Amino acid sequence: MDEIIIEGGTPLSGEVSVSGAKNAALPMIAASILTGGKFTFRNVPVLRDIDSIERLLSDMGVAVETLGNTVHIDTADLNRFEAPYEQVRQMRASILVLGPLLARMKKARVSLPGGCAIGARPIDLHLNGLSLLGADIKLSHGYVEASAKKLKGAEIYLDLPTVTGTENLMMAAVLADGVTILRNAAREPEIAALAGMLNKMGADIKGAGSPIITICGVKKLKPVSTVVIPDRIEAGTFMVAAALTGGDILVKNCNPDHLQALIHKLEKTGAKIQVRDDGVRVKGGGRINSVDIRTLPYPGFPTDMQAQFMVLMSVANGFSVISENIFENRFIHVSELQRMGADITISGNHAMIKGVPKLSGAPVMATDLRASASLVLAGLVAKGTTRISRVYHLDRGYEALEKKFARLGATIKRVRAKA
Ligand code: UD1
């Protein structure tokens, strides 16, 4: 298993180009099974989660060819409708095939994801919505078995603005009879990106990116070529790295509109931010002010940036409170940061952070995707050597992260751990 070794303390500077967004690419690739034919996806990040969804589709008879960041998919021969436990267990987002399979094949058998490191993460809202669209849903032997003679448009109110739930229901509704209205829908940029692709395929979706999405069912869809939007979480991770190490980084190929909550908070910490035509430049170096954050659905502060921002607060001047409102268990990085000298106390969904002058390098263990990114950031600012194990979590969602940091001047390398 690979490890990442970092000698901390170097201010990072230079330019870095952000990869395509994992969380946009996954639903877009899943959407390709809505109809038979040849799709091309560009700006697809090279990641373990992308491999996972491609493998899932291949097992269903879909032809997948990856050439660097371009993926060609031919869905003409889709002949199965199952996402097995082994695959869903490794990547919860496999649930994204449920809606499109039901729409095209009229049936789907998808393993229930179960718990994960950051909480229970149920899929009840996906299933309630599909039932309202007319699907017959049974839970049996750990699987969701869904079938429908015909899906019919419906009014669906989501108790919470679930991201993959909104995506699943949007994909199920595009081929339904009549009009579907999704209320309290998630507004993440990845939702609008998926709707953009579906509309290009011939769907009729209005309001994606707002809390009310209206989907008029169509009879047929066609395959398309499309480009994945930039990864706002990767961009945000580099922006925090600049502020944290007192560096100066131009983060290219990102959409500043998608980063407003983070930009606002980083400015309050004292970082200098310049939104330019070619990217966002972040300059640190002065005193880091403590700033409170609370995670919220988009356009609020993203839960996927919480762990990274916590590292910045760990070396800030004063006290801050980070409130995690999306996932109940998303503080598992805290115990590792404490081992590096961070002064953090957890109470319920709040983390109280007292900034310390320095973190110190230590052997630490990655526990989930964003927690791993926070440990890399901590290693970059810590005094001495940090050795991060279980970096396969990082490989799920960051393309060549250590290479990108190395090009910005970090002393960072990946090694194969001894068995
Ligand atoms: C997506 C993102 C993930 C991000 C999260 C929140 C992808 C592939 N993953 O995950 O990176 O951290 O959004 O921005 O896009 N919930 C229910 N019932 C449901 C569905 C969700 O109670 O049926 C709850 C969850 O437990 C959680 C909240 O709703 O508390 C939000 O979860 P959700 O938006 O669904 O997260 P994901 O789509 O799984």
Side-chain angles (χ1 to χ4, degrees):
M1 244 184 275
D2 290 359
E3 291 185 344
I4 285 181
I5 300 174
I6 306 170
E7 267 327 303
T10 316
L12 303 183
S13 64
E15 295 180 3
V16 63
S17 184
V18 171
S19 299
K22 164 180 91 72
N23 286 356
L26 291 172
M28 288 163 84
I29 290 173
S32 70
I33 55 178
L34 277 165
T35 187
K38 292 185 171 133
F39 288 78
T40 301
F41 297 90
R42 297 189 204 284
N43 200 32
V44 180
V46 176
L47 301 173
R48 211 157 60 91
D49 274 9
I50 299 294
D51 288 347
S52 297
I53 194 121
E54 289 177 0
R55 210 169 330 115
L56 184 55
L57 263 54
S58 298
D59 290 350
M60 294 179 191
V62 169
V64 180
E65 191 192 11
T66 302
L67 299 163
N69 295 108
T70 301
V71 177
H72 298 284
I73 292 185
D74 188 342
T75 52
D77 296 331
L78 178 77
N79 55 25
R80 291 188 66 215
F81 47 84
E82 180 168 316
Y85 175 65
E86 267 317 303
Q87 275 164 336
V88 181
R89 190 175 63 90
Q90 282 172 30
M91 187 187 59
R92 298 180 46 83
S94 307
I95 194 72
L96 284 165
V97 298
L98 180 57
L101 279 177
L102 198 53
R104 174 158 165 207
M105 307 289 274
K106 305 289 177 283
K107 52 186 167 183
R109 186 166 185 270
V110 176
S111 171
L112 282 163
C116 73
I118 62 171
R121 296 183 81 173
I123 56 159
D124 55 316
L125 302 173
H126 303 230
L127 302 185
N128 286 342
L130 292 174
S131 302
L132 290 169
L133 290 171
D136 180 29
I137 309 266
K138 286 197 190 79
L139 301 184
S140 160
H141 303 293
Y143 277 75
V144 178
E145 292 177 352
S147 60
K149 281 207 180 67
K150 183 84 199 125
L151 293 175
K152 289 205 177 74
E155 288 253 355
I156 302 172
Y157 171 78
L158 294 169
D159 286 350
L160 289 167
T162 158
V163 176
T164 47
T166 301
E167 292 163 348
N168 241 335
L169 295 173
M170 222 161 60
M171 291 189 281
V174 282
L175 288 169
D177 257 355
V179 180
T180 297
I181 301 178
L182 288 180
R183 297 189 194 275
N184 198 27
R187 287 182 276 168
E188 272 67 5
E190 293 75 22
I191 306 275
L194 173 64
M197 169 179 164
L198 292 168
N199 281 343
K200 202 171 169 193
M201 289 169 68
D204 181 354
I205 303 174
K206 292 189 184 74
S210 83
I212 301 177
I213 304 180
T214 306
I215 305 143
C216 293
V218 296
K219 293 264 178 287
K220 255 177 55 193
L221 296 169
K222 59 175 191 298
V224 291
S225 274
T226 186
V227 183
V228 176
I229 60 170
D231 194 315
R232 62 198 166 93
I233 305 302
E234 190 198 345
T237 303
F238 287 118
M239 288 163 62
V240 170
L244 180 70
T245 63
D248 183 355
I249 301 180
L250 175 62
V251 182
K252 295 174 87 169
N253 185 35
C254 65
N255 185 338
D257 289 348
H258 299 167
L259 289 157
Q260 285 305 315
L262 178 65
I263 289 175
H264 176 74
K265 289 294 179 182
L266 274 180
E267 275 176 337
K268 286 196 156 179
T269 70
K272 300 277 172 290
I273 309 220
Q274 199 190 1
V275 174
R276 312 177 359 164
D277 288 345
D278 58 347
V280 178
R281 183 175 169 192
V282 182
K283 210 165 167 244
R287 173 193 155 104
I288 301 173
N289 303 318
S290 286
V291 172
D292 296 342
I293 62 163
R294 52 183 64 211
T295 63
L296 287 170
Y298 188 85
F301 192 95
T303 175
D304 285 352
M305 280 304 300
Q306 179 257 105
Q308 301 90 314
F309 201 85
M310 188 180 289
V311 178
L312 183 61
M313 291 303 94
S314 298
V315 293
N317 277 277
F319 288 89
S320 57
V321 180
I322 293 186
S323 305
E324 172 56 57
N325 296 313
I326 308 292
F327 293 115
E328 77 258 31
N329 214 5
R330 209 171 201 179
F331 283 141
I332 28 182
H333 45 283
V334 169
S335 50
E336 299 300 291
L337 295 178
Q338 284 166 335
R339 298 186 57 253
M340 297 178 73
D343 185 345
I344 305 170
T345 312
I346 301 292
S347 172
N349 67 325
H350 306 290
M352 270 73 73
I353 304 148
K354 181 176 177 228
V356 294
K358 278 234 165 306
L359 296 179
S360 63
V364 286
M365 197 190 285
T367 44
D368 77 22
L369 171 53
R370 305 306 167 185
S372 327
S374 77
L375 297 180
V376 172
L377 290 178
L380 291 171
V381 75
K383 201 166 161 28
T385 309
T386 296
R387 180 182 280 267
I388 307 172
S389 56
R390 299 203 178 166
V391 293
Y392 53 84
H393 288 291
L394 200 65
D395 299 334
R396 280 192 39 221
Y398 285 91
E399 184 175 34
L401 190 68
E402 75 278 6
K403 291 200 182 91
K404 291 186 182 185
F405 273 131
R407 281 200 288 273
L408 293 168
T411 307
I412 181 169
K413 65 178 179 193
R414 180 183 283 253
V415 294
R416 199 152 286 270
K418 292 181 203 87

